[in-house]
Amino acid sequence: MKCKIVKIPQLSGKAASVYSVVLEGDTDTGTLLNKFVTENEILFKSETIDILKRLHTIGHLTGCREQFFKDNEGKPGDGVCAIYDEDSKLRLYCIRYGTQLIVVGSGGKKPKSIRALQESDKLKDENYFLRNLSVLISERIQEKEIRFSDDGMDFIGDLEFNDEE
């Protein structure tokens, strides 16, 4: 799958930069974050608003503090984590790079009966997509095709990926 990482100016601020993913050919929804909002804004309006407010707070006031995230949602060291509302009905998967940069993917509703993400095809697909993207980003950082800006707030380099990698 071809995709690119784009910065979301409305959510990014002086404390952190918020990026999301645009899938090739997905012109209807834009970013994966937009897709997440569209999928959940009717049935889970208050939870969706809560997550968006939290992302805005991260970007403009606090940065990517650990208490906002459920860590270890991927493999050790890949940075995949989840933002979720207090009632844990929704999960939004992301990759966190320190306290100043986050790449937001998508997620979905966590059924009450679920014990592991593997029990929900939707959550599993969204999570594994970000795990794979994290590997690609890490490889490009090692190969110096992507680097962080001097202030650590932005990616610089080739942010377009394809499934041949």
Side-chain angles (χ1 to χ4, degrees):
M1 172 142 326
K2 293 183 179 182
C3 67
K4 64 181 176 179
I5 300 171
V6 296
K7 188 172 182 177
I8 304 174
Q10 310 90 297
L11 298 175
S12 299
K14 63 180 180 178
S17 293
V18 179
Y19 284 75
S20 192
V21 180
V22 177
L23 301 177
E24 183 183 67
D26 202 354
T27 56
D28 293 340
T29 57
T31 66
L32 289 181
L33 176 60
N34 289 345
K35 179 182 171 187
F36 172 82
V37 170
T38 301
E39 289 174 351
N40 296 290
E41 67 185 341
I42 294 173
L43 289 176
F44 302 102
K45 184 176 182 176
S46 65
E47 292 90 344
T48 303
I49 291 170
D50 178 53
I51 288 173
L52 289 173
K53 282 181 181 176
R54 193 160 325 150
L55 285 170
H56 188 272
T57 299
I58 286 168
H60 292 273
L61 298 173
T62 64
C64 304
R65 291 185 183 170
E66 281 189 46
Q67 65 259 32
F68 291 138
F69 303 92
K70 182 173 190 267
D71 287 327
N72 304 315
E73 290 289 302
K75 293 181 179 178
D78 67 6
V80 176
C81 53
I83 296 175
Y84 54 94
D85 67 290
E86 296 304 317
D87 295 329
S88 296
K89 292 178 186 156
L90 290 181
R91 285 185 181 210
L92 177 63
Y93 291 111
C94 48
I95 309 167
R96 188 164 55 103
Y97 294 91
T99 60
Q100 295 179 305
L101 200 148
I102 184 173
V103 177
V104 178
S106 190
K109 178 182 181 273
K110 178 184 175 221
K112 287 184 181 182
S113 62
I114 195 169
R115 287 178 289 178
L117 75 95
Q118 288 81 359
E119 295 174 32
S120 167
D121 288 340
K122 167 85 169 120
L123 290 179
K124 181 180 176 183
D125 290 347
E126 300 296 354
N127 181 283
Y128 277 73
F129 174 80
L130 277 190
R131 288 182 190 198
N132 292 333
L133 183 59
S134 175
V135 169
L136 295 175
I137 293 170
S138 294
E139 287 172 356
R140 288 205 180 162
I141 289 171
Q142 284 182 325
E143 295 169 5
K144 300 194 182 344
E145 294 174 22
I146 294 175
R147 65 181 177 85
F148 296 100
S149 61
D150 290 340
D151 63 4
M153 297 278 287
D154 289 295
F155 285 125
I156 298 172
D158 185 6
L159 302 179
E160 293 189 22
F161 301 87
N162 65 54
D163 49 5
E164 283 96 43
E165 295 186 60

